[in-house]
């Protein structure tokens, strides 16, 4: 899944507004991924719900600090 900057901005705003957590979007030659400054169950749940609405799935790293989308 390739994200546009506007789609990434939508998610960043929602997470910041709801949880007050900074979300970062990384887009480079190696692919796209997101990272968060503070990993917790609430943030992971909100991010998961955001992508489920779009029929997508967030795949989190073991430490919960980053994720990709399938």
């Amino acid at each position: 899944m390739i994200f546009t900057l506007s789609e990434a901005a939508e998610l960043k705003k929602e997470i910041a507004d709801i949880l007050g957590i900074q979300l970062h979007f990384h887009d480079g030659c190696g692919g796209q991924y997101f990272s968060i400054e503070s990993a917790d169950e609430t943030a992971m749940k909100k991010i998961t719900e955001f992508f489920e609405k779009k029929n997508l799935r967030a795949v989190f790293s073991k430490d919960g600090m980053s994720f990709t989308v399938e």
Side-chain angles (χ1 to χ4, degrees):
M1 174 75 197
I2 302 296
F3 286 93
T4 65
L5 292 177
S6 63
E7 290 170 320
E10 177 187 354
L11 175 59
K12 288 177 63 150
K13 181 177 179 354
E14 185 170 321
I15 295 302
D17 289 351
I18 294 170
L19 302 174
I21 295 174
Q22 189 72 16
L23 180 71
H24 302 281
F25 177 57
H26 307 273
D27 186 16
C29 295
Q32 296 178 323
Y33 71 97
F34 293 87
S35 62
I36 54 178
E37 292 182 347
S38 176
D40 64 33
E41 300 242 352
T42 302
M44 292 171 74
K45 181 179 178 190
K46 291 293 181 190
I47 291 167
T48 298
E49 289 171 354
F50 176 88
F51 286 109
E52 284 176 346
K53 291 178 197 172
K54 298 177 180 294
N55 294 319
L56 298 169
R57 184 172 69 105
V59 180
F60 289 89
S61 62
K62 287 184 182 183
D63 66 2
M65 296 294 290
S66 64
F67 63 93
T68 58
V69 180
E70 298 177 346

